[in-house]
Structures are given as C-alpha cells and as structure tokens.
Amino acid sequence: MSGDTKVFPADQLRRLGEELFTACGAPADEAAIVAGELVEASLMGLESHGVTRYIMYVEEVLAGRIKPGALVVPVRETPTLAVVDCGFNFGPVSATRMTDLVVAKARAAGIAFCVSRHSHHVGRLGGYVQRAAEQGVFCLAVANSSKHGHFVVPWGGREGRLATNPLAYGVPTGGRPVVLDMSTSMIAEGKIRVLMHAGQPVPPGRILDGQGQPTIDPKAFYGPPRGTILPLGGELGYKGFGLGLLVEILGSTMAGEAVTDEFRYMNGLGLIAIDPEPLCGLEGFRMLMDDLAAYVTSSPPAPGHGEVGMPGALDFRIREARLRDGIPLPEATCCQLVEVAAKVGVTARL
C-alpha cells in the first residue's frame, strides 16, 4: 500500500455503498443494485465509474436530483419497443430494469430496442450488456448526456457539443462473454477526474484547456474556463465524432428528447438486444463465437505486446486480481467518502 492509496476488500466497499444508498432513502434491493454495479466497475479497473461515484450519487440525492425508489416504467410500448420513464431513480437501478425488459422482449420477438427518459447517470455500460450476454442475448448499449455534460468537441469545432457518449456491446460465448465498453471520445470525463484526484497528468492528445490549447493538466480541463475533450481518433477524429453522433441519436433523439439545458445529470440510455436462438441457435452461436475468438487471438503479438486479447479479457483479469488483493482507492477519495457519508448519518471507516 502506497502512502496515498488504500486497499479495501470488495465486500467492505459494497456494504458501505448499500448503507449509504439506504440512508439516502433507497429500498434495500435497489441500494444493493447501485452498490453492486459501482463495485464491479472498480473491480474491473474502471475507477471513473466505480466506488468514487458514491460521492456524486449521495450529493445528487441531497440536491434532489436523484429520486431513490422512483418507479421505472414504460410510457410507450410495443412488443419490440419501449420508451421507459426512469423517474430520476439511481441510474444503475433504471438501467438494470431496462436491460431485463429489453432481454425479455428480444426473447419473445427476436429483437428489441428500449430507450430511456429521465435517467440519471447509469454508470458502466459494460455491466448491462454483460448482464444480457450472460442470459444468452447479444446487447448493444449507448448513453448520451444533457448539455451541461457536453465536453466533447465535434470534428472541426472548438466548443463542446456532445458528451463522451459511450457505447458497449456484450456477446454470449461458451465462457465469459465478450464485452466492449468504450467512450467515443479520446478519454472519459470520469477518468480525467480520477487522474486529478491522483495528482497525475492526462496523456497527451486527449484534452484542450479553456483557450482551446492542448494540455495534460486535468485542472486546466476543469477550469474555469472549462476545457474540452477531443473525439476519438486523433487525426481521424471525424470517425469518433460520427460514432458519438450515433449515440446521441439512439440514446435521446429516438426517445423524442431534444438537447436540454437542464442542470441535472442525465443519461439517455438506448439498448438493442438480439436473441441468436431463432437465427442460428444459441449453442451454435456460442460455438461460432468461441471459434472466432480462437482465430482472432491466434494472431502472433506485435512487438511490445504480450498477447492478443478479446474485448473485456483484461477487465476480467483485473477483476480476479482485485477480488483476491482488494480495490485500491486514493487517499483523497477516501477522505471525500468519509465526508459525504457523514452528511447522511453514515460512519465510513476508510
């Protein structure tokens, strides 16, 4: 353990999360969903969407922007489609409910699409597509954000017009699912925050300061004035911009939502699910995926690379190590967790 980092068992952090969110007014089962999703993100090394989000979620409840226990219900629905009003419940709760709904519809009809309204921050997209894949259903997920989260410049622009707009997919296999989870920008905003808390620079080519100049200082990004994030692709950033725009369309426009100025953290979540069973049979699909993975990973590694891995493989490996060794948290994050816990009457011993 380094001087500015502490390490905790996953179960300890999960219990803390459940206690925090229950104290915020969440039903016990929903508090468990939220804590479970955030701890899983930390276990997989995705700190930007992990336990550090306990701080933000509690603050959002106290500000009245998260409504613990709110109903998550379809407001428009067909056998294959649904617009789901999430009532500003915790995002992981609404996203989990939506995942189960889209999987059920896909199993009944072969393919389905669900999109949200009034959804708060859903956390790690990969968790939901993994949930679907573990039930034998392919799933693609996208999430946009309201205007105050528009950190990312469009190709050729200098002011933010999109959020980091992640997309993810999960694919059933004979073993662990294939899970890709990526932002369509050069870096996720949450990762910039993690680097700032850890006192580390942002890698070059990711962000601009408030004057539009390249920087590696995370504090220069947050300003004031606030900087921006570049779209994925570097000199080919028009590709990342195009993907980010697709996320905007599937995550918000399809729900009939306009770009909003509301100062509330919102994710427009879109989920597409496809059941392989009526196409080629689930077991046949799994075998073909295993064959495809074996073929792809049989490529000899390039210099500087130890192996070729499928999407998500490294995350699952990190998860195994952290289940064994614990989850590291910066000292600054621990202090903030203690402070925010006290605001809801919880003693956090970190």
Side-chain angles (χ1 to χ4, degrees), residues 136-199:
V137 173
F138 169 89
C139 189
L140 171 71
V142 299
N144 79 331
S145 179
S146 49
K147 189 182 287 187
H148 83 277
H150 285 186
F151 303 110
V152 181
V153 292
W155 180 247
R158 64 177 186 176
E159 290 184 353
R161 289 295 183 270
L162 295 172
T164 55
N165 284 16
L167 61 84
Y169 66 75
V171 191
T173 71
R176 287 174 174 161
V178 174
V179 178
L180 174 75
D181 188 347
M182 56 170 274
S183 66
T184 55
S185 60
M186 288 295 288
I187 190 171
E189 182 272 330
K191 291 184 178 179
I192 302 173
R193 189 176 301 276
V194 168
L195 291 170
M196 183 174 66
H197 287 170

XYZ file of all heavy atoms in Angstrom, residues 136-199:
467
model
N -27.629 -15.121 -22.588
C -27.671 -15.670 -23.935
C -28.185 -14.724 -24.991
O -28.584 -15.162 -26.075
N -28.162 -13.419 -24.737
C -28.681 -12.427 -25.668
C -27.590 -11.408 -25.991
O -26.944 -10.873 -25.080
C -29.919 -11.714 -25.082
C -30.369 -10.572 -25.974
C -31.053 -12.716 -24.878
N -27.385 -11.145 -27.277
C -26.476 -10.071 -27.684
C -27.110 -8.740 -27.336
O -28.312 -8.533 -27.513
C -26.224 -10.134 -29.196
C -25.519 -8.920 -29.745
C -24.140 -8.872 -29.783
C -26.239 -7.827 -30.195
C -23.486 -7.759 -30.276
C -25.603 -6.694 -30.685
C -24.213 -6.662 -30.726
N -26.286 -7.783 -26.863
C -26.834 -6.482 -26.493
C -25.851 -5.373 -26.852
O -24.641 -5.509 -26.615
C -27.132 -6.426 -24.995
S -28.057 -4.953 -24.468
N -26.389 -4.305 -27.434
C -25.644 -3.082 -27.705
C -26.260 -1.972 -26.865
O -27.486 -1.812 -26.847
C -25.734 -2.709 -29.184
C -25.182 -1.339 -29.581
C -23.665 -1.325 -29.480
C -25.623 -0.966 -31.002
N -25.425 -1.207 -26.164
C -25.901 -0.122 -25.317
C -25.192 1.175 -25.673
O -24.005 1.174 -26.012
C -25.660 -0.448 -23.845
N -25.923 2.286 -25.597
C -25.348 3.612 -25.805
C -25.887 4.532 -24.719
O -26.965 4.293 -24.160
C -25.707 4.188 -27.191
C -25.179 3.305 -28.305
C -27.214 4.389 -27.344
N -25.134 5.602 -24.417
C -25.599 6.578 -23.428
C -25.060 7.957 -23.768
O -23.856 8.131 -23.947
C -25.162 6.180 -22.019
N -25.988 8.922 -23.860
C -25.576 10.308 -24.069
C -25.753 11.087 -22.768
O -26.010 10.507 -21.714
C -26.378 10.942 -25.215
C -27.775 11.372 -24.776
O -28.359 10.787 -23.870
N -28.306 12.385 -25.416
N -25.633 12.409 -22.831
C -25.781 13.228 -21.637
C -26.428 14.556 -22.007
O -26.384 14.980 -23.167
C -24.415 13.485 -20.990
O -24.536 14.296 -19.839
N -27.011 15.217 -21.007
C -27.589 16.540 -21.221
C -26.497 17.564 -21.507
O -25.307 17.297 -21.356
C -28.413 16.957 -19.996
O -27.672 16.759 -18.808
N -26.907 18.767 -21.898
C -25.975 19.751 -22.466
C -24.841 20.116 -21.513
O -23.718 20.369 -21.954
C -26.734 20.997 -22.889
C -25.883 21.986 -23.677
C -26.645 23.252 -24.050
C -27.650 23.020 -25.146
N -28.273 24.297 -25.608
N -25.099 20.133 -20.191
C -24.024 20.535 -19.286
C -22.885 19.521 -19.265
O -21.791 19.824 -18.777
C -24.566 20.760 -17.864
C -24.693 19.517 -17.049
N -25.771 18.673 -17.134
C -23.868 18.969 -16.128
C -25.615 17.670 -16.293
N -24.474 17.828 -15.671
N -23.096 18.337 -19.828
C -22.035 17.341 -19.937
C -21.393 17.286 -21.311
O -20.669 16.342 -21.624
N -21.638 18.295 -22.135
C -21.100 18.293 -23.497
C -19.656 18.796 -23.506
O -19.363 19.928 -23.877
C -21.993 19.136 -24.403
C -23.276 18.462 -24.751
N -24.178 18.975 -25.651
C -23.826 17.289 -24.307
C -25.224 18.161 -25.749
N -25.022 17.134 -24.928
N -18.765 17.906 -23.095
C -17.339 18.216 -23.032
C -16.642 18.034 -24.376
O -15.541 18.532 -24.576
C -16.650 17.291 -22.021
C -17.214 17.334 -20.629
C -17.924 16.262 -20.118
C -17.014 18.442 -19.820
C -18.429 16.288 -18.831
C -17.515 18.481 -18.539
C -18.227 17.404 -18.040
N -17.240 17.255 -25.273
C -16.527 16.799 -26.464
C -16.819 17.702 -27.660
O -17.990 17.965 -27.981
C -16.895 15.339 -26.810
C -16.122 14.851 -28.034
C -16.612 14.437 -25.607
N -15.755 18.151 -28.321
C -15.934 18.999 -29.499
C -16.342 18.141 -30.696
O -15.882 17.007 -30.839
C -14.647 19.776 -29.847
C -14.349 20.806 -28.776
C -13.450 18.834 -30.027
N -17.206 18.653 -31.564
C -17.458 17.960 -32.827
C -16.239 18.131 -33.732
O -15.431 19.048 -33.530
C -18.684 18.691 -33.398
C -18.590 20.063 -32.825
C -17.973 19.910 -31.453
N -16.097 17.258 -34.701
C -14.949 17.335 -35.604
C -14.915 18.710 -36.277
O -15.891 19.142 -36.885
C -15.039 16.230 -36.644
C -13.892 16.240 -37.619
C -13.943 16.521 -38.955
C -12.533 15.941 -37.333
N -12.702 16.422 -39.510
C -11.801 16.070 -38.542
C -11.846 15.586 -36.168
C -10.429 15.850 -38.631
C -10.471 15.363 -36.246
C -9.785 15.490 -37.455
N -13.788 19.410 -36.105
C -13.619 20.722 -36.691
C -14.111 21.863 -35.827
O -13.990 23.022 -36.225
N -14.669 21.565 -34.637
C -15.188 22.608 -33.761
C -14.267 22.883 -32.595
O -13.289 22.166 -32.362
N -14.581 23.924 -31.826
C -13.770 24.240 -30.646
C -14.603 24.405 -29.383
O -14.062 24.733 -28.334
C -12.927 25.491 -30.888
C -13.712 26.766 -31.112
C -12.752 27.946 -31.259
N -13.473 29.204 -31.336
C -12.871 30.395 -31.381
N -11.553 30.454 -31.364
N -13.595 31.487 -31.456
N -15.919 24.215 -29.473
C -16.779 24.190 -28.297
C -17.473 22.836 -28.220
O -17.845 22.265 -29.250
C -17.839 25.299 -28.356
C -17.296 26.696 -28.192
C -18.412 27.727 -28.153
O -19.586 27.351 -28.391
O -18.113 28.909 -27.896
N -17.654 22.335 -26.988
C -18.281 21.036 -26.820
C -19.729 21.012 -27.300
O -20.489 21.939 -27.017
N -20.081 19.954 -28.012
C -21.451 19.772 -28.486
C -21.980 18.362 -28.221
O -23.142 18.082 -28.462
C -21.541 20.071 -29.989
C -21.399 21.556 -30.328
C -22.559 22.356 -29.766
N -22.489 23.771 -30.140
C -21.863 24.708 -29.427
N -21.229 24.375 -28.302
N -21.858 25.959 -29.828
N -21.127 17.471 -27.734
C -21.527 16.113 -27.387
C -20.896 15.741 -26.053
O -19.872 16.318 -25.655
C -21.069 15.106 -28.450
C -21.684 15.211 -29.851
C -20.959 14.260 -30.798
C -23.175 14.901 -29.823
N -21.490 14.772 -25.374
C -20.848 14.182 -24.208
C -19.831 13.138 -24.678
O -19.618 12.960 -25.874
C -21.896 13.549 -23.302
N -19.212 12.456 -23.748
C -18.250 11.418 -24.127
C -18.939 10.209 -24.745
O -18.280 9.324 -25.286
C -17.406 10.986 -22.920
O -18.271 10.580 -21.862
C -16.532 12.134 -22.440
N -20.258 10.154 -24.655
C -21.133 9.253 -25.408
C -20.572 7.840 -25.597
O -20.221 7.427 -26.697
C -21.459 9.881 -26.767
C -22.491 10.986 -26.648
O -22.752 11.489 -25.559
N -23.074 11.385 -27.763
N -20.526 7.063 -24.507
C -20.005 5.706 -24.615
C -20.958 4.762 -25.336
O -22.169 4.997 -25.394
C -19.843 5.286 -23.158
C -20.881 6.082 -22.428
C -20.934 7.407 -23.136
N -20.377 3.699 -25.862
C -21.157 2.585 -26.392
C -20.518 1.298 -25.906
O -19.330 1.248 -25.588
C -21.258 2.628 -27.913
C -19.994 2.542 -28.772
C -19.556 1.094 -29.002
C -20.223 3.222 -30.106
N -21.320 0.269 -25.815
C -20.833 -1.027 -25.329
C -21.615 -2.145 -25.997
O -22.767 -1.952 -26.396
C -20.986 -1.124 -23.806
N -20.981 -3.295 -26.134
C -21.724 -4.482 -26.555
C -21.249 -5.697 -25.778
O -20.102 -5.764 -25.323
C -21.637 -4.716 -28.069
C -20.268 -5.057 -28.634
C -19.709 -6.324 -28.469
C -19.570 -4.116 -29.379
C -18.473 -6.641 -29.012
C -18.332 -4.420 -29.926
C -17.784 -5.696 -29.740
O -16.547 -6.004 -30.276
N -22.166 -6.626 -25.586
C -21.868 -7.882 -24.908
C -22.329 -9.036 -25.774
O -23.429 -8.995 -26.335
N -21.479 -10.058 -25.893
C -21.753 -11.173 -26.791
C -21.641 -12.492 -26.028
O -20.615 -12.750 -25.392
C -20.765 -11.188 -27.976
C -21.227 -12.178 -29.040
C -20.577 -9.797 -28.572
N -22.667 -13.349 -26.088
C -22.569 -14.655 -25.430
C -21.499 -15.522 -26.076
O -21.304 -15.495 -27.299
C -23.957 -15.275 -25.645
C -24.837 -14.160 -26.084
C -23.962 -13.163 -26.756
N -20.778 -16.271 -25.255
C -19.808 -17.259 -25.734
C -19.979 -18.517 -24.899
O -20.876 -18.603 -24.060
C -18.369 -16.740 -25.588
O -18.015 -16.709 -24.192
C -18.199 -15.345 -26.178
N -19.083 -19.470 -25.101
C -19.108 -20.677 -24.276
C -18.555 -20.447 -22.889
O -18.699 -21.310 -22.010
N -17.917 -19.323 -22.648
C -17.369 -18.976 -21.338
C -17.769 -17.559 -20.962
O -18.935 -17.201 -21.019
N -16.778 -16.759 -20.593
C -17.062 -15.362 -20.298
C -17.497 -14.635 -21.561
O -16.952 -14.886 -22.636
C -15.811 -14.688 -19.735
C -15.480 -15.112 -18.312
C -14.160 -14.506 -17.907
N -13.854 -14.760 -16.503
C -12.644 -14.667 -15.969
N -11.621 -14.298 -16.739
N -12.448 -14.902 -14.701
N -18.455 -13.738 -21.443
C -18.880 -13.015 -22.640
C -17.793 -12.076 -23.145
O -16.908 -11.663 -22.398
C -20.107 -12.229 -22.157
C -19.937 -12.123 -20.683
C -19.233 -13.365 -20.246
N -17.872 -11.753 -24.421
C -17.052 -10.689 -24.983
C -17.747 -9.371 -24.657
O -18.935 -9.210 -24.941
C -16.894 -10.850 -26.510
C -16.166 -9.651 -27.106
C -16.156 -12.142 -26.833
N -17.021 -8.439 -24.037
C -17.607 -7.172 -23.613
C -16.705 -6.021 -24.041
O -15.572 -5.908 -23.559
C -17.814 -7.114 -22.082
C -18.375 -5.749 -21.674
C -18.749 -8.224 -21.616
N -17.187 -5.189 -24.936
C -16.516 -3.949 -25.292
C -17.260 -2.800 -24.626
O -18.489 -2.724 -24.701
C -16.513 -3.727 -26.804
C -15.940 -2.373 -27.249
C -14.419 -2.391 -27.135
C -16.359 -2.022 -28.668
N -16.529 -1.898 -23.987
C -17.119 -0.734 -23.330
C -16.171 0.431 -23.581
O -15.047 0.434 -23.078
C -17.278 -0.995 -21.835
C -18.074 0.093 -21.122
O -18.293 1.165 -21.711
O -18.468 -0.129 -19.960
N -16.596 1.399 -24.378
C -15.690 2.470 -24.783
C -16.433 3.786 -24.933
O -17.625 3.810 -25.241
C -15.031 2.128 -26.117
C -16.027 1.830 -27.233
S -15.293 1.690 -28.867
C -15.282 3.415 -29.366
N -15.727 4.876 -24.674
C -16.271 6.188 -24.994
C -15.961 6.487 -26.454
O -15.049 5.893 -27.044
C -15.664 7.261 -24.090
O -14.281 7.403 -24.355
N -16.723 7.388 -27.040
C -16.451 7.799 -28.415
C -15.596 9.064 -28.431
O -15.462 9.721 -29.459
C -17.764 8.027 -29.188
O -18.579 8.977 -28.479
C -18.527 6.717 -29.326
N -15.010 9.378 -27.291
C -14.056 10.479 -27.165
C -12.694 9.892 -26.808
O -12.566 8.705 -26.509
C -14.510 11.448 -26.073
O -14.608 10.783 -24.830
N -11.673 10.744 -26.811
C -10.322 10.268 -26.531
C -10.142 9.833 -25.082
O -9.244 9.065 -24.763
C -9.306 11.353 -26.880
C -9.120 11.569 -28.381
S -8.416 10.127 -29.224
C -6.723 10.161 -28.639
N -11.006 10.318 -24.188
C -10.949 9.927 -22.783
C -12.309 10.220 -22.168
O -13.012 11.136 -22.606
C -9.823 10.686 -22.025
C -9.609 10.107 -20.621
C -10.101 12.182 -21.977
C -8.371 10.665 -19.924
N -12.710 9.444 -21.190
C -13.952 9.707 -20.464
C -13.718 10.798 -19.428
O -12.641 10.862 -18.811
C -14.455 8.432 -19.792
N -14.712 11.657 -19.226
C -14.559 12.738 -18.251
C -14.245 12.194 -16.870
O -13.428 12.763 -16.131
C -15.834 13.587 -18.215
C -15.780 14.776 -17.280
C -16.213 14.446 -15.855
O -17.061 13.543 -15.694
O -15.708 15.085 -14.912
N -14.879 11.074 -16.498
C -14.617 10.493 -15.180
C -13.169 10.090 -14.991
O -12.631 10.149 -13.878
N -12.507 9.675 -16.064
C -11.097 9.298 -15.961
C -10.219 10.525 -15.732
O -9.190 10.444 -15.054
C -10.666 8.547 -17.218
C -11.300 7.177 -17.345
C -10.784 6.418 -18.556
C -11.425 5.030 -18.617
N -10.968 4.255 -19.800
N -10.620 11.661 -16.307
C -9.887 12.905 -16.041
C -9.988 13.244 -14.558
O -9.010 13.627 -13.908
C -10.435 14.060 -16.896
C -10.345 13.722 -18.386
C -9.674 15.354 -16.601
C -11.016 14.740 -19.294
N -11.186 13.067 -13.987
C -11.395 13.350 -12.569
C -10.549 12.423 -11.700
O -9.946 12.859 -10.701
C -12.886 13.188 -12.229
C -13.262 13.669 -10.838
C -14.776 13.554 -10.643
N -15.503 14.341 -11.623
C -15.752 15.637 -11.494
N -15.341 16.293 -10.425
N -16.444 16.277 -12.426
N -10.489 11.131 -12.082
C -9.665 10.181 -11.330
C -8.200 10.598 -11.366
O -7.499 10.572 -10.348
C -9.846 8.754 -11.890
C -8.796 7.809 -11.319
C -11.238 8.226 -11.568
N -7.713 10.994 -12.541
C -6.315 11.429 -12.664
C -6.063 12.680 -11.827
O -5.005 12.811 -11.191
C -5.982 11.692 -14.134
C -5.925 10.456 -15.032
C -5.824 10.863 -16.505
C -4.746 9.565 -14.658
N -7.014 13.602 -11.804
C -6.852 14.816 -10.995
C -6.762 14.468 -9.517
O -5.889 14.980 -8.797
C -8.020 15.764 -11.253
C -7.894 17.088 -10.500
S -9.182 18.295 -10.934
C -10.642 17.465 -10.284
N -7.636 13.570 -9.054
C -7.605 13.176 -7.644
C -6.297 12.481 -7.293
O -5.813 12.591 -6.165
C -8.777 12.241 -7.332
C -10.098 12.945 -7.293
N -11.302 12.278 -7.226
C -10.424 14.260 -7.326
C -12.288 13.147 -7.213
N -11.786 14.361 -7.280
N -5.745 11.757 -8.266
C -4.496 11.031 -8.020
C -3.261 11.896 -8.264
O -2.135 11.429 -8.080
C -4.436 9.788 -8.917
N -3.458 13.162 -8.681
C -2.335 14.040 -8.949
C -1.521 13.640 -10.159
O -0.305 13.897 -10.212
